[in-house]
Amino acid sequence: MYVAAVFEPTGTMLLLAWLPGVVSLARELLPAGDSRLDRAALIAVLALSLALSTVHLTALLLGDFRLGLVVGLSASGALGYLVAWKRRAGPGAPRGPGEWRILGFALFALVLVLPAIVRFNFHDETLYLGHLSMTSAIENGPYPPRHLTFPDLPLRYHYGFDLLAAMVARLLGLRTDVAIDVSTASLALLTILAAAPAVRRIAAGPVPPHLLLLALFAGGLPFLAPEDGPMCSSAALCEVQSMKWVGTTFLNPPLSSNFFQHPFTLGLPLTLAVLAIALTSEEQRTDRWRGGAGLGLILATLSLSNAVLFIGLVPALAVLYVAPSLRGDHGARTRLLATLVAAAAAPVYGGFFLLGASAGVNTIVTAEGGIAGGLEPTIIWHLASFGLALPLGLMGIRRLIQGRALIGLLVLGCLLVLNLFRYQYSWDIVKFATAAHLYLALASIETLRALGAQPGRTPRIAAWVAWAITLGFGVAYVVPFWGSSRLPHHPALEGSGRYAGLTDDDTAALDWLRAHAGVGQLVYRARPQSLRWAQLGGLPQVWTDIGTEGFVSAERITRRGELLRGLTCEGLVQEDVRWVVIGPEDGATHRQLLQQLTSKGATVLRQSFGAVDIYERVGDQCPAAGAR
């Protein structure tokens, strides 16, 4: 059922011919000096950033994603082909040590997470304002995307992954949920491959490839937390999936769980590439402008993809480069300039940093007593959330030569924000814990490398044991998805066709409305069909859920609730509902209301598909009682 009828060839697939040109252009932004596999990984990240940035900026300029996809990819691809035609082919990059083993462990990581990717939808993927809905909304064309419950508001969110998934859906002719899975699987592989050059920059010696798995699977020690979380079906599941409670909050789950938070799905490989380019040694900086341009491009793309990682990296990189820039280091000056340009470009890219958009009501306030509400529970929370990565990472930072200041600043900054502040209406401050966990995991690799390199059998055994413990609960998190379907996550969408699970009448109605609804026009469709209309149709729906809090005021949600308790003409006008779709689920009351409003000229029946009728509200006045 997963594969059936989700592939539909489209003319957009012809744009795939431009991708080699995009890769060629990305290659020009990377200085020489890396081994073949490391260079391939960084070129892949640069090509990804180039494609996302050109399509995004072009779509912003033209106001349409589909036009942006065609024009942006064509322009960057054509420029890349021109550069390749004029460039003389140089010697290929040398093969690095253990390349096949690195690739093997990357494929092993992909195999571990693949059942979870294919069989389940994670975190906020399935909400009315979730990643399925945002991706589908982008596919519809109007750009940038708007809030999908209150479409009068711009979407102030880091939706880089959703843009990527929409591009994959259009280029490969895939249904939205399948495109998200393909993107997630590809980025899992790229995360491990991009970790290799990043770790090589900071390590003081050769890094055994198995240690790279920590960049995706570093976990905590959840058994240190005293209480089970409320969503566990069993104590064992609480432990395995780190769903435990300390003080006033949940543990932060392992990196393997947060990887499925899609801003981190894309943010992790982008961040690893930033570290690799930022920490390029003087000997490798054959062309400082190339490195600076590549760094700025990835950072700007990161601003659209993961605000937390971007907010941490920009000031840390600026501090790192200021002193050598003042001493006359031209390479540092170039990278400092690239960092500042990326920071200035963030409002232009929009997304989370969209100028003029309301930050919503989910404001940041001061935290009392740290992340867990007190000294003792906060200490336990850190040990249980980060596990051995905390002590191993801190020891590793002390050992680092190239990158000690940068990794140290990143960890310090993330931990300070995590313990000094909190969001008023959400748990999102722990995203800084996820960023800190990544940086601690990278520094832990140096500690374990050095321990394993010591002479004698005991240090090597200790290094393997510490690696297994650090990795253990991160791997344990994904194992249940291989078999059990009774997990606190949504299963993959069931059903074939463009709109899995919808009837033929609903499918035809949704197709018609996607073609005729204007930008930001709100749609009423009864539950449960409305959720699939949002997820795979990308049309703004009137319903609210847990993802709505923080974006708008409680008063607006209350007013919307009054409409949802019973349709009225006044409610439709007040909430500016343009389209009302009546199906068998609505019953006689709603159908009679729309027929009455149509007879009085307040609505027009635009189209019918079997038992599904599409009405458009016209004008902003309701007929007086008794009017004919």
Side-chain angles (χ1 to χ4, degrees):
M1 296 294 279
Y2 177 81
V3 179
V6 295
F7 172 75
E8 296 181 359
T10 67
T12 316
M13 295 179 67
L14 296 175
L15 293 173
L16 292 170
W18 292 117
L19 293 185
V22 176
V23 173
S24 176
L25 188 57
R27 186 181 292 114
E28 294 300 308
L29 300 177
L30 186 67
D34 286 296
S35 65
R36 184 168 59 185
L37 187 60
D38 287 358
R39 187 170 175 81
L42 294 178
I43 289 173
V45 176
L46 282 165
L48 177 62
S49 301
L50 186 62
L52 283 170
S53 287
T54 53
V55 170
H56 171 66
L57 294 174
T58 308
L60 282 179
L61 181 64
L62 300 177
D64 190 280
F65 159 72
R66 289 168 293 192
L67 287 175
L69 182 64
V70 173
V71 176
L73 271 189
S74 300
S76 55
L79 181 59
Y81 280 128
L82 179 63
V83 168
W85 177 60
K86 291 195 171 185
R87 183 187 62 227
R88 283 188 171 184
R95 177 178 294 179
E99 284 193 349
W100 285 109
R101 293 176 62 203
I102 293 172
L103 186 57
F105 278 107
L107 291 171
F108 174 66
L110 176 59
V111 169
L112 282 178
V113 299
L114 196 58
I117 293 172
V118 172
R119 298 182 64 225
F120 290 86
N121 291 312
F122 282 81
H123 303 305
D124 51 1
E125 208 168 87
T126 58
L127 300 175
Y128 280 101
L129 185 61
H131 292 286
L132 277 165
S133 302
M134 282 188 272
T135 302
S136 295
I138 291 172
E139 288 183 71
N140 284 342
Y143 201 84
R146 303 191 68 79
H147 195 286
L148 286 169
T149 306
F150 295 92
D152 58 300
L153 302 175
L155 181 59
R156 191 174 184 268
Y157 186 76
H158 37 200
Y159 51 81
F161 175 88
D162 308 287
L163 173 61
L164 172 62
M167 291 168 61
V168 170
R170 296 289 296 180
L171 290 172
L172 300 182
L174 299 177
R175 197 172 70 189
T176 303
D177 57 322
V178 181
I180 286 176
D181 290 349
V182 169
S183 302
T184 304
S186 303
L187 292 168
L189 186 68
L190 186 57
T191 295
I192 299 298
L193 295 178
V199 170
R200 245 190 272 276
R201 299 288 196 271
I202 64 176
V207 178
H210 68 276
L211 296 180
L212 298 176
L213 292 177
L214 291 176
L216 187 58
F217 292 101
L221 298 173
F223 55 83
L224 296 177
E227 301 176 46
D228 291 342
M231 294 186 293
C232 295
S233 57
S234 69
L237 184 63
C238 272
E239 298 289 352
V240 168
Q241 297 226 301
S242 300
M243 303 170 90
K244 303 294 289 291
W245 186 273
V246 179
T248 58
T249 190
F250 286 102
L251 291 187
N252 194 42
L255 285 178
S256 52
S257 171
N258 283 303
F259 173 75
F260 293 104
Q261 291 272 3
H262 286 311
F264 281 103
T265 308
L266 179 56
L268 290 181
L270 292 180
T271 297
L272 291 167
V274 166
L275 295 177
I277 295 174
L279 296 173
T280 302
S281 65
E282 290 293 338
E283 293 76 15
Q284 290 179 297
R285 294 180 187 175
T286 54
D287 187 340
R288 68 177 189 271
W289 292 109
R290 286 188 179 188
L295 178 65
L297 173 65
I298 300 175
L299 277 173
T301 307
L302 186 62
S303 75
L304 182 69
S305 307
N306 191 302
V308 168
L309 292 171
F310 179 80
I311 289 170
L313 277 167
V314 165
L317 288 170
V319 170
L320 178 71
Y321 291 134
V322 163
S325 296
L326 294 176
R327 293 196 300 265
D329 185 334
H330 296 293
R333 286 179 178 175
T334 304
R335 283 163 171 75
L336 176 60
L337 177 62
T339 302
L340 296 177
V341 168
V348 177
Y349 272 66
F352 184 86
F353 300 99
L354 184 63
L355 287 177
S358 170
V361 296
N362 195 20
T363 54
I364 293 179
V365 297
T366 303
E368 296 181 4
I371 182 64
L375 179 60
E376 182 179 347
T378 294
I379 292 173
I380 295 173
W381 188 93
H382 282 75
L383 293 173
S385 293
F386 296 125
L388 286 188
L390 183 58
L392 292 176
L394 295 177
M395 288 188 288
I397 290 172
R398 292 191 61 187
R399 291 189 51 84
L400 298 180
I401 299 175
Q402 184 183 0
R404 179 192 301 170
L406 179 58
I407 301 298
L409 284 170
L410 289 168
V411 170
L412 178 62
C414 289
L415 293 182
L416 284 175
V417 171
L418 175 68
N419 286 283
L420 294 178
F421 304 99
R422 65 177 178 86
Y423 279 104
Q424 193 169 0
Y425 292 106
S426 77
W427 194 54
D428 281 0
I429 204 71
V430 296
K431 291 178 179 177
F432 285 93
T434 302
H437 207 166
L438 171 66
Y439 303 132
L440 287 168
L442 297 178
S444 297
I445 290 174
E446 168 58 18
T447 302
L448 295 174
R449 181 209 65 79
L451 181 60
Q454 292 182 15
R457 186 179 179 184
T458 300
R460 287 197 297 273
I461 293 175
W464 276 98
V465 170
W467 171 76
I469 293 173
T470 308
L471 202 68
F473 280 96
V475 173
Y477 177 85
V478 300
V479 168
F481 298 107
W482 278 68
S484 175
S485 59
R486 301 179 62 185
L487 294 169
H489 299 282
H490 298 282
L493 302 185
E494 295 182 358
S496 59
R498 291 189 303 281
Y499 311 121
L502 291 183
T503 65
D504 291 342
D505 291 346
D506 253 313
T507 296
L510 182 49
D511 274 336
W512 187 91
L513 203 49
R514 290 182 84 177
H516 291 83
V519 178
Q521 292 181 350
L522 193 57
V523 178
Y524 167 84
R525 180 71 178 98
R527 287 175 166 173
Q529 285 76 9
S530 63
L531 185 57
R532 198 56 51 86
W533 276 55
Q535 291 170 341
L536 297 182
L539 294 179
Q541 299 292 305
V542 299
W543 302 93
T544 62
D545 55 24
I546 59 172
T548 312
E549 281 190 8
F551 279 98
V552 296
S553 66
E555 289 77 12
R556 288 205 67 177
I557 296 176
T558 300
R559 289 201 305 269
R560 180 62 59 83
E562 293 173 359
L563 168 68
L564 299 177
R565 282 191 291 272
L567 290 186
T568 64
C569 180
E570 291 75 16
L572 295 175
V573 171
Q574 177 178 276
E575 292 302 305
D576 197 21
V577 179
R578 181 65 174 268
W579 301 91
V580 180
V581 182
I582 300 296
E585 308 77 22
D586 288 280
T589 303
H590 287 171
R591 190 174 294 275
Q592 289 172 2
L593 171 66
L594 268 297
Q595 289 172 349
Q596 291 172 4
L597 293 177
T598 300
S599 68
K600 296 174 181 179
T603 60
V604 176
L605 177 61
R606 292 299 187 191
Q607 196 63 256
S608 293
F609 298 93
V612 179
D613 297 328
I614 300 176
Y615 293 87
E616 182 180 7
R617 181 178 60 80
V618 292
D620 294 327
Q621 300 296 322
C622 290
R628 293 182 178 274

